[in-house]
Structures are given as C-alpha cells and as structure tokens.
Amino acid sequence: MVKVTGTLMWYYFVCKREVWLMSREVTPFEEDDLLEIGRLIHEDSYKREKKEVDLFSMKIDVLRKTNGRLLIGEMKKSSSYLMPARMQLLFYLYRLKEMGISAEGELLVPKERKKEKVILSKDAEEKVKSAISDIQKIIALDTPPPAVKTHFCNRCAYKDFCFA
Ligand code: SF4
C-alpha cells in the first residue's frame, strides 16, 4: 500500500485526481514555471532559519525549539493554497503526536511575509484522520477520479494531461 505523505495530504485538499496521479508517480512537466518559482522561493527565502529535516520520511521545512516546545514550519509560495498547506502541516503534527512528540506548527508564506500558527486541535485531528482514510481509498482505485475543472487547474502542472 502507498504510504500517505504530507505531499499527498496537500494534494488531497487541492484535487482528488492529483492525489491519484501523484501516488502513481505520473510526473508533471518539469519545466512548469510554477514548480520552478516554488523551488526558487524554497531556496532563497528564510535562508537564515531554514533547515529542511527529513524526519521519519516527513520533509519538514523548519524545525526549532521555542520556549521548550518543538516548532515545525511549512513554507509555501502563495497564500492561495493556505488551506491545503494548513492541512499538510496538521498531518505532520499528527504524525509527530503518534510518535509521542508534541509540537506546534507555523505556516510561512515568504513572498507575502505571512506567518500563521497551526495547532492540532481535536477537530483538526479528526479531519486529518478522515483525510488519510480517504486518500488510501483514492490511491486504491484502478483509474484516477475524473478531471473536474476548478480554479486550481490553471496553475496545475497536470492541466495539459487532464484537458488537452
Ligand atoms: S488539472 Fe485540474 S483536474 Fe487535473 S489534476 Fe490538476 S487540478 Fe486536478
């Protein structure tokens, strides 16, 4: 069974079809400008505090201790994807909790100099668990869910694949 990752959690809140495509490693076009911009922002911003940590297969962008508490961060290129990014971060907090590690999250949008605190409440935890179960069902499908046009499609690297 394909492991549910933070990336798949992010895609789940953008497009269910994309979850399936990503899980099958259908690679979007590498030259896509948005992917490139994302890479550049990732490399250039928050350089002084940025550390990417690979913790038990989770790619965590920022990790530090503040007032004795672990703080993890997730960097995104635009606030138009804040909700998926928030859920991705909650997923990491949930996984850490499963390992017995209590942590808080911080969502960062370097281009807009935005920061948002993210806490794993009981409701948020339920939402994460239900998304994990749904992602597993999507991945198990033999064919991808149908393409449904949304405002995310214009900026999606799969748009030619879905609508050409
Ligand atoms: S183009 Fe639209 S339907 Fe296709 S994977 Fe991307 S977001 Fe989903």
Side-chain angles (χ1 to χ4, degrees), residues 14-15 17-18 21 147-148 150 152-153 156 158-159 162-163:
V14 172
C15 169
R17 179 176 169 87
E18 214 166 347
L21 292 169
V148 178
T150 68
F152 289 122
C153 296
C156 176
Y158 290 112
K159 67 177 184 290
C162 291
F163 298 108

Side-chain angles (χ1 to χ4, degrees), residues 10 29-42 77-78 80-81 151-159:
W10 190 86
F29 302 112
E30 289 296 329
E31 68 271 22
D32 189 282
D33 287 348
L34 289 170
L35 291 181
E36 187 54 33
I37 290 166
R39 256 198 298 270
L40 287 173
I41 288 173
H42 201 81
K77 60 177 177 280
S78 146
S80 55
Y81 291 89
H151 65 283
F152 289 122
C153 296
N154 287 338
R155 307 176 68 188
C156 176
Y158 290 112
K159 67 177 184 290

Side-chain angles (χ1 to χ4, degrees), residues 32-105:
D32 189 282
D33 287 348
L34 289 170
L35 291 181
E36 187 54 33
I37 290 166
R39 256 198 298 270
L40 287 173
I41 288 173
H42 201 81
E43 282 162 14
D44 292 345
S45 305
Y46 289 91
K47 231 171 195 165
R48 269 166 298 166
E49 70 174 15
K50 181 184 160 279
K51 266 190 213 132
E52 190 173 78
V53 180
D54 200 342
L55 183 69
F56 302 105
S57 82
M58 292 186 288
K59 283 244 183 276
I60 294 172
D61 283 336
V62 181
L63 185 110
R64 63 180 188 269
K65 258 191 160 177
T66 306
N67 301 326
R69 204 143 191 234
L70 190 67
L71 184 72
I72 63 167
E74 185 65 31
M75 265 181 245
K76 292 297 166 195
K77 60 177 177 280
S78 146
S79 57
S80 55
Y81 291 89
L82 267 195
M83 198 272 277
R86 193 180 297 122
M87 291 310 300
Q88 184 182 33
L89 195 45
L90 285 167
F91 170 80
Y92 290 143
L93 293 174
Y94 172 68
R95 285 294 192 225
L96 287 171
K97 188 182 169 188
E98 280 188 321
M99 295 170 205
I101 301 167
S102 168
E104 287 180 3

Side-chain angles (χ1 to χ4, degrees), residues 87-158:
M87 291 310 300
Q88 184 182 33
L89 195 45
L90 285 167
F91 170 80
Y92 290 143
L93 293 174
Y94 172 68
R95 285 294 192 225
L96 287 171
K97 188 182 169 188
E98 280 188 321
M99 295 170 205
I101 301 167
S102 168
E104 287 180 3
E106 203 169 75
L107 201 51
L108 307 166
V109 188
K111 266 247 141 119
E112 301 168 21
R113 292 279 148 196
K114 265 190 189 167
K115 272 189 192 185
E116 179 191 311
K117 206 168 195 171
V118 178
I119 308 278
L120 186 68
S121 65
K122 226 174 170 36
D123 280 359
E125 191 171 329
E126 286 312 309
K127 212 170 170 187
V128 169
K129 283 192 210 163
S130 145
I132 290 172
S133 143
D134 213 22
I135 289 169
Q136 280 162 340
K137 284 181 200 147
I138 292 168
I139 292 171
L141 294 171
D142 289 334
T143 55
V148 178
K149 204 151 190 132
T150 68
H151 65 283
F152 289 122
C153 296
N154 287 338
R155 307 176 68 188
C156 176
Y158 290 112

